[in-house]
């Protein structure tokens, strides 16, 4: 059975037989890139009607969240987030991904990619203690797997932004994954892939600072999910997001 790294190498080789190499960033060098709506960047362009799509998507997700039958569990005050069950009936997602992902395929992966999962969440204001993704952690996913997170609401310091570590010179730290192949999943480097307080203190002593990513709805985060990061509990309002999971594949998918 091939390791994920060797499989990705095959994906690149096949892709380069069919396409010109237009890669601008090595997938393995990716940490965190984020862009505000229609902000120019060298890896992809937004659709011309991106803000209209985001506005429509935001309203439809809000409608679903208000309907208990559309949720995985009722929000009873003990949840940190609410997850929508079915989002595959939303054409806005299709239009956004069909525009952006083929460009990322060329500029970052240099291989065909598969959109392997789509999720919609609302982070809510609550008195519940932090747990799970609300603690400092890394996802311990294969290093060939990448996430895209899109804000569907305006996100400010007190409305539950994504938070990470950042150093002016050293960038953003990543933790090595223990998942290197289909049959090679070993325990994570850190228990349950949570980052204990003493390690966070060591990073702070090295000059790393905690950085919350804020921005208007439509802000897009494109990142290696093995960076050290966490979600936040809003002090007011809420934060809605769409999360896309992408990975390399040998075959071309729509």
């Amino acid at each position: 059975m091939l390791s994920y790294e060797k499989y990705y190498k095959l994906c690149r080789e096949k892709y380069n037989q069919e396409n010109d190499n237009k890669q601008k960033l090595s997938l393995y060098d990716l940490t965190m890139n984020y862009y505000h709506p229609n902000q120019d960047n060298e890896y992809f362009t937004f659709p011309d009607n991106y803000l209209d799509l985001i506005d429509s998507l935001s309203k439809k997700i809000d409608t679903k969240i208000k309907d208990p039958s559309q949720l995985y569990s009722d929000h009873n005050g003990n949840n940190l987030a609410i997850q929508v069950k079915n989002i595959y009936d939303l054409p806005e997602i299709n239009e956004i991904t069909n525009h952006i992902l083929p460009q990322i395929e060329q500029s970052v992966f240099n291989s065909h990619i598969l959109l392997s999962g789509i999720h919609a969440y609302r982070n809510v204001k609550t008195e519940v203690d932090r747990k799970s993704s609300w603690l400092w952690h890394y996802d311990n996913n294969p290093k060939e797997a990448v996430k895209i997170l899109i804000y569907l609401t305006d996100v400010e310091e007190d409305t539950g932004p994504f938070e990470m570590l950042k150093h002016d010179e050293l960038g953003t730290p990543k933790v090595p994954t223990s998942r290197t192949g289909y049959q090679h999943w070993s325990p994570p480097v850190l228990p349950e892939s949570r980052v204990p307080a003493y390690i966070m203190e060591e990073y702070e002593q090295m000059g790393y600072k905690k950085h919350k990513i804020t921005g208007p709805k439509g802000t897009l985060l494109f990142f290696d999910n093995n960076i050290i990061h966490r979600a936040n509990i809003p002090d007011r309002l809420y934060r809605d997001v769409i999360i896309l999971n992408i990975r390399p594949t040998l075959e071309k998918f729509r």
Side-chain angles (χ1 to χ4, degrees):
M1 185 69 67
L2 291 175
S3 67
Y4 293 137
E5 186 172 4
K6 289 182 178 178
Y7 176 76
Y8 176 43
K9 181 179 179 182
L10 288 180
C11 293
R12 295 198 309 273
E13 290 173 351
K14 181 178 181 183
Y15 184 83
N16 286 325
Q17 292 172 359
E18 305 166 354
N19 303 274
D20 294 333
N21 188 337
K22 298 180 180 179
Q23 189 173 25
K24 298 179 180 179
L25 172 68
S26 168
L27 175 63
Y28 293 134
D29 291 335
L30 176 67
T31 54
M32 165 62 78
N33 290 343
Y34 59 95
Y35 307 100
H36 295 151
N38 298 330
Q39 179 183 353
D40 290 337
N41 69 84
E42 59 184 318
Y43 307 117
F44 63 88
T45 63
F46 289 96
D48 291 338
N49 61 338
Y50 180 67
L51 290 177
D52 291 333
L53 292 170
I54 291 295
D55 188 55
S56 176
L57 186 56
S58 175
K59 291 175 181 176
K60 290 181 179 180
I61 290 295
D62 182 61
T63 298
K64 285 179 177 288
I65 287 175
K66 291 175 179 176
D67 179 358
S69 69
Q70 295 286 324
L71 308 178
Y72 277 111
S73 62
D74 293 334
H75 177 56
N76 56 16
N78 295 320
N79 307 71
L80 287 164
I82 305 169
Q83 184 176 3
V84 177
K85 274 184 185 176
N86 176 31
I87 57 175
Y88 295 99
D89 58 348
L90 302 176
E92 294 87 351
I93 295 177
N94 195 52
E95 190 167 345
I96 291 169
T97 55
N98 278 335
H99 182 92
I100 291 176
L101 294 191
Q103 299 176 72
I104 290 177
E105 191 174 73
Q106 287 187 334
S107 62
V108 179
F109 277 83
N110 192 33
S111 77
H112 295 304
I113 59 177
L114 174 67
L115 177 56
S116 58
I118 309 175
H119 310 280
Y121 293 96
R122 169 169 291 177
N123 286 17
V124 296
K125 180 180 178 182
T126 177
E127 299 301 321
V128 176
D129 291 338
R130 286 178 177 267
K131 59 183 178 180
S132 185
S133 296
W134 284 255
L135 300 173
W136 287 106
H137 71 285
Y138 67 106
D139 290 359
N140 196 37
N141 280 348
K143 58 185 178 180
E144 293 76 21
V146 167
K147 278 187 178 177
I148 292 176
L149 186 152
I150 302 175
Y151 289 161
L152 298 182
T153 51
D154 295 334
V155 177
E156 300 178 6
E157 288 272 338
D158 58 354
T159 55
F162 183 105
E163 190 171 11
M164 62 185 227
L165 289 180
K166 189 176 182 179
H167 192 287
D168 291 340
E169 297 177 357
L170 301 176
T172 302
K174 292 195 283 189
V175 181
T177 179
S178 65
R179 298 173 175 177
T180 58
Y182 183 72
Q183 294 179 323
H184 296 88
W185 284 35
S186 55
V189 174
L190 299 173
E192 299 182 351
S193 70
R194 306 302 105 175
V195 182
Y198 78 90
I199 291 183
M200 293 299 297
E201 291 172 2
E202 289 176 358
Y203 275 115
E204 289 186 34
Q205 290 170 4
M206 293 169 62
Y208 286 91
K209 298 184 183 301
K210 297 171 184 177
H211 177 67
K212 292 181 177 179
I213 300 177
T214 60
K217 64 181 178 181
T219 297
L220 184 149
L221 288 61
F222 172 50
F223 61 101
D224 181 327
N225 42 201
N226 290 321
I227 64 170
I228 296 174
H229 63 284
R230 69 176 178 179
N232 275 291
I233 301 172
D235 293 324
R236 63 182 181 89
L237 303 177
Y238 53 82
R239 186 200 72 170
D240 290 352
V241 298
I242 290 285
I243 297 175
L244 313 174
N245 297 309
I246 54 179
R247 61 174 177 81
T249 181
L250 279 171
E251 304 301 326
K252 180 178 177 61
F253 284 86
R254 180 171 178 272

